[in-house]
Amino acid sequence: MSRISRLGVVGCGLMGSGIAEVAALRGLDVTVAEATPELTTAGRARVVASLDRGLQHGKLTPAERDQALARLSFTHDLGELADRQFVIEAVAENREVKLDIFRQLDKVMAEPDAVLATNTSSIPVVDLAVATGRSSHVVGLHFFNPVPVQKLVEVIPALTTSADTVTRARAFATELLGKEVIQAPDRSGFVVNALLVPYLLAAIRMVESGAARPEDIDRGMELGCAHPMGPLRLLDLIGLDTAQAVAESMYEEFKEPLYAAPPLLQRMVAAGHLGRKSGRGFYLYDR
């Protein structure tokens, strides 16, 4: 088994750009694919801006920034991922979109042993695996936002995932990207979100009922429970649309009322109040 040096990332939003940045800084040759030329340009700008912030804050040297950028290429053609040894899908949390990506990747990948990973936070990995002709090579690799800062990666084998693929995925995350790994079951929410989502939704219900203000809930959890960020600020960071999608996926699988998206969350998403990325969620932000 050759050492992984060529990575593909599909999607260059918050998660995809973070994964690409970390991999390039760790010395991997990274090709990032987006859906359109406009999204490709925006994705590259997002990575460049993050690297520039690292330079300004003294976390990177000018040489490290420039070397990372030199290892990154961007495209809107999935066919350019054909030579990749490891590909991570990090598009929107939408089952049909992800299924389409995996079907396309299955056709274009030239490396027979290439690993196809999904960064899904709630969709069963096996659903994506069986959409390909290489289901033994498909695995869940769930990163956390912001990827350059958060150390954890959940490795999620499907029922079809081979032991070798799991070993390679764990080694990729730990040895190449410098992350810490836990292994999670292929059930919606995995480990972290299965615990986190009911807590976040409970905070929304508390606001919805008028029991407490967002700032008091967040301050209470930060000071009372030593959380680095309160639940409503965390929801704004995650994106309320993403939180709703995860909640709906978990509710669909378990039919557990604690996983059901509260009406307030649904209304905020419908209004476009998605959190930091839209400039407004439970708090206002300078975009």
Side-chain angles (χ1 to χ4, degrees):
M1 180 177 65
S2 60
R3 181 178 174 83
I4 294 166
S5 59
R6 300 186 303 278
L7 173 68
V9 178
V10 183
C12 201
L14 286 174
M15 300 304 295
S17 63
I19 294 167
E21 176 185 345
V22 169
L25 285 169
R26 299 281 297 191
L28 276 72
D29 174 50
V30 185
T31 299
V32 184
E34 258 292 4
T36 66
E38 293 77 16
L39 289 173
T40 301
T41 300
R44 187 183 189 282
R46 186 175 287 112
V47 176
V48 171
S50 181
L51 289 168
D52 285 345
R53 284 194 298 272
L55 181 62
Q56 292 164 8
H57 296 157
K59 296 178 181 179
L60 298 177
T61 66
E64 288 170 333
R65 173 200 178 276
D66 293 344
Q67 288 165 7
L69 281 175
R71 298 184 189 109
L72 284 158
S73 60
F74 296 82
T75 181
H76 59 277
D77 179 6
L78 278 181
E80 294 192 27
L81 302 183
D83 70 334
R84 302 290 96 177
Q85 300 159 293
F86 203 108
V87 176
I88 302 173
E89 168 274 311
V91 301
E93 192 70 0
N94 180 295
R95 183 187 300 265
E96 294 308 315
V97 172
K98 289 180 185 291
L99 283 170
D100 183 57
I101 294 288
F102 271 81
R103 292 185 187 112
Q104 292 185 62
L105 287 172
D106 189 38
K107 294 176 182 177
V108 304
M109 298 303 299
E111 293 280 339
D113 292 328
V115 173
L116 303 183
T118 174
N119 184 56
T120 181
S121 50
S122 61
I123 296 168
V125 176
V126 71
D127 290 0
L128 305 176
V130 298
T132 75
R134 54 178 84 203
S135 59
S136 64
H137 288 70
V138 177
V139 66
L141 210 60
H142 182 216
F143 293 79
F144 292 82
N145 184 36
V147 178
V149 176
Q150 300 281 45
K151 294 291 290 182
L152 181 67
V153 174
E154 289 179 306
V155 173
I156 307 106
L159 288 174
T160 56
T161 307
S162 70
D164 178 65
T165 297
V166 175
T167 299
R168 294 174 71 195
R170 293 181 69 98
F172 172 80
T174 56
E175 297 172 18
L176 294 185
L177 299 190
K179 300 295 187 181
E180 300 286 339
V181 162
I182 62 171
Q183 191 157 314
D186 186 18
R187 43 182 278 167
S188 188
F190 313 133
V191 169
V192 173
N193 279 334
L195 294 169
L196 178 64
V197 168
Y199 158 69
L200 298 178
L201 299 182
I204 296 174
R205 293 187 184 101
M206 189 172 281
V207 174
E208 187 174 51
S209 69
R213 300 179 305 166
E215 54 268 35
D216 291 327
I217 295 170
D218 285 342
R219 196 71 172 150
M221 295 308 296
E222 290 162 5
L223 297 181
C225 294
H227 288 197
M229 183 181 293
L232 300 163
R233 291 193 186 279
L234 180 56
L235 279 160
D236 278 358
L237 178 63
I238 293 169
L240 272 65
D241 53 340
T242 299
Q244 180 180 349
V246 173
E248 289 174 347
S249 179
M250 294 174 66
Y251 182 74
E252 179 183 348
E253 179 152 324
F254 299 112
K255 300 301 187 288
E256 167 59 60
L258 289 174
Y259 295 145
L264 176 59
L265 175 59
Q266 297 177 47
R267 301 300 182 272
M268 292 178 73
V269 171
H273 300 169
L274 308 181
R276 286 181 179 271
K277 61 187 173 185
S278 70
R280 180 174 182 177
F282 288 98
Y283 300 91
L284 295 175
Y285 301 92
D286 182 356
R287 297 187 65 186

